[in-house]
Amino acid sequence: MQQNNGLDKNQIISFVLFSLILFGFMFYFQGKQAKKEATNPQQKAQTELVTAKPVAEVQNLNPAITQNSIKTVSLKNDLLDVQFSSLGGQISSVELVKFKAYNQKADKDTDPLYLFNKNNASYGFQFKDKTGKVFNTKDLVFSPTVNGNTVTMQSNVNGAIIQFLYTLNEKYEVGFKVKTQGLAQIVNDGKANFLWNYDIRGKEKGRAQEATHTEFSYGFNDYKSFDYDGRTTMDEPEETLNWIGVKQQFFGAVIEANGGFTNSKGNQDQPKDGEILKKFTFDGEVKMAGNELNQDFTWYFMPLDLKLLKSYNKNFDEILPLGWSFIGSLNRHFFIPIYNLLTSWGIAAGWVIFLMTIITKIILSPVMFKQHKLSAMMRVIRPEIDEVNAKFKDADAMKKQQATMAVYKKAGVNQMAGCLPAVLQIPIFYALFRFFPNNLDLRGQSFWFAKDLTAYDDVIKLPWNIPFLGEHLSIFAIACTIVILIYTIMTSGNMQQPQQPGMPNMKVLMYIFPVTFLFFLNTSASGLSWYYFVSNALNIVIILIIKYWILDEKKIHAQIQANKEKEPKKEGKFSKKMREMMEKAQEQQKVQGKK
């Protein structure tokens, strides 16, 4: 199964391409509504199937349907405005009352936010009659009645009664009961399939970013397990799904089946342009007893708020893509609590991000100090390394590498120690990459020239579309790229220059690498760019403080000289293994040279 990694196509191509070039050289040379209609208050609800009166007989499975035969009724509370269509007896429109969708002309969230609307979603139960013909409830005309917070939809298929009962519950729930009577006279295979077609319209600024966060989500194994798929097809022939949902960046539509869905499969297609982000189809079998379908379902139309999702106790919180394993835990138990604490003090979102960056830097300060101390030590022994390069200029690369490692060993410099800070910052980098574009509380929060910290800022408009970049330039992305470049220049002084003709200058490649961040961040959440800008700016300040006020290079040089005079330490297992491998490789080179 291919799963969403949170990157859009352009970001993947630009970032991975440049990364492969850089790391390729390093490894080679150095060893991802319908319109609302008024409801007749005089109508009486049909709540008991056995007492409900059948509506007009459907003599054939594809009757001629006129506009006058389609009716719409609605239920509404403080959170949802739900409309139901007599065609198919299905939910035709769902508005989340407290939220707004992005309006491109106004460049802000001003439009009503609909999940279902304008025929973008349809669902129904598909049966096969005794003659082998297939019919679906979404093609039938139902008779609607409203009673309080309940809508009853009823239809007749060749004498069989199909009844849907919808109840608008608390929170963002719509109860959905299915009852049939006489269906056993029509079908005999004991099978019913729930079919759901859902075309997702964009609600956020930035089509590419929203599309990458639009995907299937489903729970199984008695609500204990979760999976998702963001690109291709889903196929679960063995698992019983407790619920199936389609999520967008900040909102989701989920249907739960008390009896579960079996033999589930789905497909998704992503149009290149237009108002539809993705097209989803789902097909899952539901249980029938005695060739009658009597089962309870529940629809959830909800914002992806972590506290809300967890309150259902159905593993819905996994819908929020905070990252796998340790990455997700880092967001759930560190970054989200810190963000919630700081915002509770009334601090603006942009400054909350600023403070989060400082807190993260303080926590990482011990390993960062070791990293910069190692950098200073490498700078001090640069003359000795240059001597080795000159001495072994005409020797093979293996001998030169062995001599270089000997210098490092005598000086007490452990090159591998510099890898630890980088390794520690990788999960933090990815956790925040997941945190900023998916934090509902950040949605619509402005900061300086960024109108929404979960979307890119596009103050600088371009007259044309530049591949991998788009039709704008993000100021935060540009600023972040500049500070990363400055930081790279300040830290690349210890990098060796090519000693052999034809070898690439790694310094040049290191300077090119930061430019990839412009392509990577230009269409990403501006909150993410702002965080990386502050983080790298602080790195520069830390380097300067360490260089001029903390570390004394003369003392470091004296320490290195003293290390040289000491008796060499006993060779460790790792060093011994590395030396033996290098010697073996050197012998193989000699043999090949003789041949």
Side-chain angles (χ1 to χ4, degrees), residues 111-129:
D111 289 348
L113 197 150
Y114 294 100
L115 295 184
F116 289 7
N117 194 32
K118 297 180 180 179
N119 301 316
N120 74 319
S122 66
Y123 61 88
F125 298 92
Q126 182 172 283
F127 307 91
K128 184 183 293 186
D129 67 17

Side-chain angles (χ1 to χ4, degrees), residues 30 377-378 381-393 395-416 494-497 499-500 560 564 582 586:
Q30 299 182 31
M377 295 178 73
M378 296 279 286
I381 64 172
R382 172 54 53 196
E384 282 90 343
I385 298 299
D386 290 340
E387 284 183 18
V388 169
N389 290 332
K391 181 178 180 180
F392 292 91
K393 182 178 181 181
D396 60 73
M398 193 67 67
K399 284 186 177 180
K400 184 188 296 184
Q401 185 67 17
Q402 288 177 328
T404 301
M405 291 180 67
V407 173
Y408 287 137
K409 184 178 179 180
K410 288 182 179 179
V413 176
N414 182 5
Q415 285 183 291
M416 298 300 294
N494 301 315
M495 188 169 293
Q496 298 184 36
Q497 297 299 310
Q499 302 297 319
Q500 297 179 5
I560 291 175
K564 291 180 180 179
M582 293 174 66
Q586 191 172 1

Side-chain angles (χ1 to χ4, degrees), residues 100-235:
K100 297 295 181 181
Y102 178 71
N103 183 301
Q104 187 172 5
K105 292 183 179 180
D107 194 23
K108 59 176 65 175
D109 297 340
T110 58
D111 289 348
L113 197 150
Y114 294 100
L115 295 184
F116 289 7
N117 194 32
K118 297 180 180 179
N119 301 316
N120 74 319
S122 66
Y123 61 88
F125 298 92
Q126 182 172 283
F127 307 91
K128 184 183 293 186
D129 67 17
K130 295 179 179 180
T131 66
K133 293 182 180 180
V134 173
F135 66 98
N136 194 308
T137 60
K138 69 178 181 179
D139 299 321
L140 305 177
V141 176
F142 285 71
S143 176
T145 59
V146 179
N147 183 23
N149 66 333
T150 299
V151 168
T152 301
M153 291 282 185
Q154 184 170 303
S155 186
N156 184 296
V157 182
N158 295 337
I161 300 173
I162 299 176
Q163 192 178 78
F164 296 162
L165 286 87
Y166 295 97
T167 304
L168 186 56
N169 299 322
E170 295 179 352
K171 297 182 181 178
Y172 294 88
E173 301 178 30
V174 179
F176 177 30
K177 293 179 180 291
V178 180
K179 299 181 179 181
T180 67
Q181 181 176 305
L183 194 61
Q185 304 301 318
I186 303 175
V187 302
N188 63 0
D189 63 354
K191 293 182 179 179
N193 284 68
F194 177 76
L195 305 181
W196 180 20
N197 299 318
Y198 190 16
D199 295 347
I200 300 289
R201 292 190 179 93
K203 298 169 182 59
E204 313 299 331
K205 180 178 181 178
R207 176 188 177 89
Q209 179 175 248
E210 186 177 9
T212 63
H213 292 282
T214 301
E215 59 200 7
F216 273 124
S217 301
Y218 49 98
F220 54 97
N221 189 24
D222 195 23
Y223 299 95
K224 297 175 184 177
S225 301
F226 168 85
D227 212 337
Y228 69 94
D229 190 284
R231 295 185 183 177
T232 55
T233 60
M234 65 157 291
D235 189 13

Side-chain angles (χ1 to χ4, degrees), residues 274-307:
E275 66 172 354
I276 303 300
L277 290 178
K278 283 187 177 181
K279 295 175 176 286
F280 291 86
T281 61
F282 173 75
D283 181 351
E285 290 184 13
V286 293
K287 292 181 178 179
M288 293 183 71
N291 289 314
E292 298 287 350
L293 179 57
N294 294 285
Q295 189 173 153
D296 291 352
F297 301 83
T298 306
W299 278 105
Y300 300 86
F301 304 99
M302 53 193 175
L304 302 184
D305 174 78
L306 183 60
K307 185 177 180 181

Side-chain angles (χ1 to χ4, degrees), residues 5-103:
N5 62 3
L7 295 169
D8 65 56
K9 181 180 179 181
N10 290 342
Q11 289 175 328
I12 293 173
I13 295 175
S14 60
F15 188 72
V16 172
L17 180 61
F18 284 100
S19 299
L20 287 176
I21 292 175
L22 173 65
F23 291 111
F25 277 118
M26 291 175 66
F27 280 100
Y28 183 77
F29 293 100
Q30 299 182 31
K32 104 148 99 155
Q33 135 183 120
K35 180 180 179 182
K36 189 182 299 182
E37 297 181 10
T39 303
N40 183 357
Q42 302 299 321
Q43 289 177 306
K44 297 181 180 179
Q46 297 167 312
T47 56
E48 294 296 331
L49 182 60
V50 294
T51 61
K53 297 180 180 180
V55 296
E57 291 271 338
V58 179
Q59 298 298 336
N60 59 73
L61 301 180
N62 295 286
I65 300 173
T66 65
Q67 191 66 33
N68 291 333
S69 65
I70 301 175
K71 297 180 180 180
T72 302
V73 295
S74 64
L75 296 175
K76 184 176 181 179
N77 61 17
D78 293 338
L79 303 175
L80 297 176
D81 186 349
V82 186
Q83 297 192 20
F84 306 84
S85 173
S86 62
L87 178 59
Q90 56 192 324
I91 298 173
S92 59
S93 175
V94 179
E95 178 187 356
L96 275 69
V97 179
K98 292 190 175 182
F99 297 91
K100 297 295 181 181
Y102 178 71
N103 183 301

